[in-house]
Amino acid sequence: MGVEIERKFLLSGDGWMHLGEPVFFKQGYLSSQKERVVRVRIEGERAVMTIKGASKGATRGEWEYEIPVADAAELLDGLCEQPLIEKYRRRIEFGGNVWEVDEFLGVNAGLVVAEIELQSEDQQFDKPDWIGEEVTGDARYFNSSLIKKPFSTW
């Protein structure tokens, strides 16, 4: 079984803005239930389908499979729940880890979060000075929640 251990943070300041190359992501959900999420994503020139189980703390099962971009585009346009998530992602190395900073667009514009994937829930890591409040346990910040209650409606 694949496992994802991820912590999520809001940002403080704009020190991240000139770091990492922004890549456009478009993603949608075939299922966005709390117990299981099935996501389709086009990230740059690559497409993937990801299945995630329920979260237990910062950990959950995750399985990801590359799919043809044309298939992903059809699924996004024809079968996925609306609205779709559109964002720019920057991968930024810091302290031996990679931070993924997502700057959301459309109905979620104004929301910027950073995620770090870890090897264990108790793994220690250094935070850049642009990392703010932790929101790992706040389901409002799950991408699958942002399609049901976009950031612009908070």
Side-chain angles (χ1 to χ4, degrees):
M1 172 171 96
V3 175
E4 172 185 64
I5 303 170
E6 178 180 85
R7 292 181 57 188
K8 189 176 291 208
F9 298 82
L10 297 177
L11 276 69
S12 175
D14 61 3
W16 58 273
M17 290 187 81
H18 302 291
L19 304 173
E21 185 69 30
V23 175
F24 181 71
F25 279 48
K26 185 175 185 179
Q27 67 187 44
Y29 293 86
L30 296 169
S31 172
S32 60
Q33 296 178 21
K34 182 178 176 183
E35 302 79 21
R36 75 194 65 76
V37 170
V38 181
R39 177 184 72 205
V40 175
R41 173 189 279 170
I42 298 175
E43 47 187 73
E45 302 299 317
R46 175 180 182 255
V48 294
M49 181 175 293
T50 305
I51 303 161
K52 296 185 180 198
S55 295
K56 294 179 179 111
T59 303
R60 64 181 169 177
E62 179 183 67
W63 301 264
E64 187 166 274
Y65 307 95
E66 194 156 343
I67 63 173
V69 173
D71 289 357
E74 281 186 44
L75 291 167
L76 289 167
D77 291 341
L79 290 180
C80 286
E81 301 172 37
Q82 299 294 319
L84 298 176
I85 298 287
E86 294 181 318
K87 61 187 177 182
Y88 283 103
R89 173 169 285 174
R90 290 173 166 83
R91 288 186 169 89
I92 302 169
E93 293 186 31
F94 182 86
N97 292 299
V98 175
W99 290 85
E100 295 179 337
V101 176
D102 289 343
E103 183 177 8
F104 290 84
L105 306 170
V107 294
N108 291 299
L111 178 61
V112 183
V113 297
E115 302 172 347
I116 185 171
E117 288 201 24
L118 304 170
Q119 298 300 310
S120 67
E121 286 210 26
D122 60 353
Q123 178 182 334
Q124 299 297 307
F125 56 93
D126 294 323
K127 295 179 193 168
D129 60 3
W130 38 265
I131 292 295
E133 175 189 358
E134 183 166 6
V135 294
T136 299
D138 189 337
R140 292 178 303 163
Y141 293 96
F142 295 174
N143 283 239
S144 58
S145 296
L146 291 171
I147 64 170
K148 295 173 182 154
K149 189 162 187 180
F151 183 67
S152 61
T153 67
W154 296 9

